[in-house]
Amino acid sequence: MLMLLLCCGLTLTVCFCQTQKNPVMSKSLQLNVPTIGFLHHALSVTATSFTFPFHPHAHTQTSLYFPSPHTHSRFRPPTTVFSAVTAEQPPAPPVRMVAVVGHGAASPLQSASWEQIMLHTAKRLKWVDEGYELLVFTDECIISNGEMSMRLLRELLNADILVVVAVTRKESVKWINIKGKTIENVICLDSSPDLKNKLGGYDVPSEVRGSLFGNFFGNSESDKAKESYELVQTVSEAWDRHNSDDIRFCLLVLINAYIRPVPVLKNLRAKGFSPLNCMLRNCGRQVLNCLLDPNCRKALQCLNRCSPVDQVCNYRCIASYESANLEAFSLCVLQKNNCLELDAEVPDKPYVPPMIKFRGQNLSYEMAEDLFVGWLGSLQWSWRVVAGQNPAYDQFPCQYQLFYRGKAKGSFWYEPVFQVKTLEGQMVWRRRKYRVKRGKVPATFYFSVLDNGVVSNEFWTIVDVADDLSWGLFHYHGAARVAGQSYTGAVLVSPDGAFPNDKERTKIVAALDKCEIKEWELYTVDNCSCIDPPLGIPEGSSLHTTVQIEEPN
């Protein structure tokens, strides 16, 4: 007999009790409700007990805490204007950020300058909220002491956040420390250790040794010190990954914690007891099966070590430890019952214009589908991915794309095949299957997939394809709604996975510009050791209808 007992309001004890017919040894497992990583709240599991940390503040040692924007004393209070007819909420005041970067300082992102990167980040922040303003200056204007220096000084008087990147000159450091005294939030990245950091008006001592801040608060037990320390840890880990998504994320975390709530981070906040009740009422069997399955349990342990919004970490855990029990758990807890009460929408920014002509002809739906089908038929695959922009989904080795028409009239399918290096060091192949439907105009499509129990919906755009099909660029916006995650990305593809020749570079850069993506944002896919990929398409599938494909050279 299996009994589920809720003890002390927080712990679920699962007891295997002996019965008259089956006298087995009694065994007890303790479960606490989780904060989930990819599922947005992962299950922490130990060898002798299974724990679901329920409240996001009750983390394990490696988990991170995000100060609640609703309780932080330094948030701007919302102002409500009441009329005789209805209550109206005025627009939130803009968030004013200033970045000072080292003049000419190169970043780790393909040696692009930090000035270029922060200017691009300013544009990407607008995709989240038009009210996020980031002005970028180099420390050259401090030294010149001219008109730009005066402008910087004026902007600092109204700044909510000052971000200092790669500033090491003594004159600049001294100037920033003096002029930044009145700013409540100052964060210094890859800069001189003599620069002073502040969060929420409180000093954050930096350590002379290298990484971002070091150990700031020693043995301080104050809540504010803990909050600031853990937030800085989050920012530090994200910054050290050196990609455009995480650079923007760093700033969003600071805004969310110290200025005003950031809607896209709303899923980091506690939901009360309803997730636990939902799991017990609807998914007890699936939860138990997952906890008793070593592979599924490893996935949950792995997820619990990820920040809830770290899609790179989360998806690697999922891809490393896929199992039927993990899929059943996710399908029940998230997809069918949305026990964690999460939500996310497919982003509508940036707007990416679709390709409108191919080989001089107006692009039709049939032609666009043929471009997706690409080289399949002449080769065993449609395309191979050369490089991608999304750090979570586009960086896996050996990515093959299979596009084809299904048996049913009007059906179209996409199956990516890719390798994953698991967290245990093994190289394994993975495969997904997307249903594809036409968008409102040719070269736009709606994709949907059930990925380990969670449905993702995506909007894809064919941005450009060379007339000889030597390369193509596909952009996507997507969301896993019940996992609370939204994302964007793009993939550069070719028939053999190699970069197109140099004469195509101008066209490729122009296509990337349409996506508002810079070359330095792309990850090069490792296509070196792609042995025995599990390719092939269902019998009875069809390929091209309009576009003629020449044999590859």
Side-chain angles (χ1 to χ4, degrees):
M1 179 174 63
L2 179 67
M3 298 193 303
L4 304 180
L5 306 173
L6 185 62
C7 305
C8 303
L10 288 176
T11 301
L12 171 66
T13 302
V14 182
C15 301
F16 295 93
C17 303
Q18 64 180 25
T19 64
Q20 291 180 345
K21 294 183 178 180
N22 186 23
V24 296
M25 185 177 295
S26 176
K27 185 177 182 182
S28 177
L29 312 176
Q30 287 194 324
L31 313 179
N32 291 324
V33 182
T35 36
I36 291 191
F38 169 66
L39 314 174
H40 260 270
H41 298 288
L43 305 176
S44 169
V45 186
T46 66
T48 56
S49 67
F50 306 142
T51 62
F52 294 33
F54 173 62
H55 195 281
H57 300 176
H59 292 300
T60 62
Q61 187 174 0
T62 56
S63 298
L64 300 169
Y65 167 70
F66 292 77
S68 170
H70 301 292
T71 60
H72 201 287
S73 61
R74 282 180 161 71
F75 273 103
R76 297 171 178 166
T79 303
T80 304
V81 178
F82 293 93
S83 69
V85 179
T86 184
E88 296 181 358
Q89 189 79 19
V95 176
R96 297 182 176 91
M97 294 170 281
V98 173
V100 178
V101 303
H103 178 69
S107 75
L109 283 75
Q110 300 186 35
S111 298
S113 73
W114 276 117
E115 183 181 11
Q116 291 175 298
I117 289 169
M118 296 309 290
L119 285 170
H120 187 55
T121 301
K123 182 181 293 186
R124 298 183 88 243
L125 283 166
K126 292 287 186 182
W127 302 349
V128 180
D129 191 318
E130 286 289 339
Y132 297 162
E133 299 176 357
L134 174 63
L135 300 177
V136 182
F137 299 82
T138 71
D139 69 339
E140 184 73 12
C141 71
I142 295 174
I143 297 167
S144 66
N145 202 29
E147 182 180 340
M148 286 299 290
S149 178
M150 297 303 295
R151 185 188 171 199
L152 171 58
L153 192 57
R154 288 194 301 271
E155 297 297 342
L156 290 179
L157 293 175
N158 297 311
D160 299 303
I161 299 173
L162 171 61
V163 183
V164 183
V165 182
V167 172
T168 56
R169 296 186 193 182
K170 290 183 179 180
E171 307 96 308
S172 301
V173 170
K174 182 178 178 181
W175 192 94
I176 291 170
N177 280 336
I178 294 172
K179 304 302 182 182
K181 279 185 177 179
T182 60
I183 303 174
E184 289 202 337
N185 303 290
V186 180
I187 189 161
C188 306
L189 305 157
D190 295 344
S191 295
S192 167
D194 295 327
L195 283 161
K196 297 177 181 178
N197 304 283
K198 286 191 297 182
L199 290 175
Y202 293 89
D203 288 341
V204 181
S206 53
E207 200 174 66
V208 175
R209 290 177 321 173
S211 59
L212 200 47
F213 292 104
N215 296 318
F216 317 126
F217 299 103
N219 294 322
S220 170
E221 293 297 321
S222 75
D223 289 341
K224 292 187 184 299
K226 285 182 180 179
E227 291 177 8
S228 296
Y229 172 74
E230 291 173 352
L231 184 138
V232 166
Q233 289 287 89
T234 301
V235 172
S236 174
E237 290 169 6
W239 184 267
D240 287 344
R241 286 195 291 267
H242 296 131
N243 66 72
S244 57
D245 283 358
D246 281 311
I247 290 170
R248 181 179 65 176
F249 171 67
C250 291
L251 300 183
L252 294 177
V253 168
L254 295 173
I255 296 169
N256 187 64
Y258 295 106
I259 312 300
R260 60 178 165 92
V262 175
V264 296
L265 300 184
K266 66 187 177 190
N267 293 317
L268 295 175
R269 299 163 199 154
K271 303 290 185 181
F273 283 89
S274 58
L276 172 60
N277 296 331
C278 176
M279 287 184 190
L280 295 180
R281 185 173 62 252
N282 300 298
C283 305
R285 178 186 298 175
Q286 290 83 357
V287 170
L288 185 61
N289 287 344
C290 185
L291 293 172
L292 295 176
D293 176 359
N295 217 42
C296 190
R297 195 161 65 244
K298 284 180 183 179
L300 300 181
Q301 287 175 308
C302 180
L303 290 166
N304 196 58
R305 291 190 289 269
C306 298
S307 167
V309 288
D310 184 349
Q311 294 185 21
V312 178
C313 179
N314 291 317
Y315 199 71
R316 191 175 180 198
C317 291
I318 295 295
S320 293
Y321 300 114
E322 290 183 9
S323 70
N325 282 324
L326 179 62
E327 180 172 356
F329 171 87
S330 305
L331 186 64
C332 185
V333 172
L334 294 179
Q335 193 61 48
K336 290 184 177 179
N337 295 289
N338 195 14
C339 288
L340 302 177
E341 303 170 23
L342 302 176
D343 194 17
E345 296 180 355
V346 176
D348 58 6
K349 294 180 181 178
Y351 168 71
V352 178
M355 184 180 184
I356 57 176
K357 286 183 179 293
F358 179 70
R359 295 177 180 170
Q361 299 181 36
N362 289 333
L363 198 67
S364 65
Y365 284 108
E366 290 76 16
M367 290 172 67
E369 289 169 348
D370 283 357
L371 295 183
F372 267 152
V373 173
W375 292 95
L376 188 58
S378 299
L379 301 173
Q380 291 181 282
W381 53 84
S382 299
W383 298 95
R384 294 186 66 180
V385 177
V386 179
Q389 186 269 337
N390 188 291
Y393 308 117
D394 298 339
Q395 45 74 39
F396 290 109
C398 300
Q399 296 182 47
Y400 295 82
Q401 295 185 326
L402 301 170
F403 288 95
Y404 58 90
R405 292 176 167 88
K407 293 180 182 179
K409 183 178 179 180
S411 65
F412 196 75
W413 299 91
Y414 166 51
E415 297 195 38
V417 177
F418 55 97
Q419 275 189 337
V420 173
K421 185 176 183 180
T422 71
L423 294 166
E424 296 176 348
Q426 295 179 316
M427 297 299 295
V428 296
W429 288 102
R430 300 298 190 209
R431 184 165 175 158
R432 305 286 185 259
K433 186 170 185 175
Y434 290 73
R435 181 184 298 275
V436 181
K437 295 185 177 180
R438 294 174 177 178
K440 293 181 180 179
V441 297
T444 64
F445 297 86
Y446 297 101
F447 285 42
S448 61
V449 63
L450 183 67
D451 190 343
N452 285 280
V454 174
V455 171
S456 291
N457 292 300
E458 300 177 355
F459 179 73
W460 281 55
T461 302
I462 299 179
V463 185
D464 202 359
V465 175
D467 285 352
D468 61 357
L469 272 71
S470 59
W471 64 271
L473 184 68
F474 309 145
H475 184 275
Y476 59 87
H477 302 82
R481 185 182 64 82
V482 297
Q485 294 189 348
S486 58
Y487 48 90
T488 62
V491 287
L492 175 66
V493 297
S494 72
D496 58 1
F499 273 94
N501 59 48
D502 287 343
K503 70 179 183 180
E504 298 292 325
R505 183 174 178 273
T506 300
K507 294 178 181 178
I508 293 172
V509 170
L512 289 170
D513 283 344
K514 292 179 182 178
C515 307
E516 300 195 44
I517 292 173
K518 304 298 182 183
E519 280 186 279
W520 48 260
E521 292 185 82
L522 297 179
Y523 291 83
T524 301
V525 172
D526 181 0
N527 285 314
C528 293
S529 301
C530 307
I531 301 171
D532 296 328
L535 303 174
I537 59 175
E539 186 177 347
S541 304
S542 58
L543 304 178
H544 308 88
T545 62
T546 303
V547 176
Q548 297 298 315
I549 307 298
E550 298 180 3
E551 290 294 322
N553 295 328

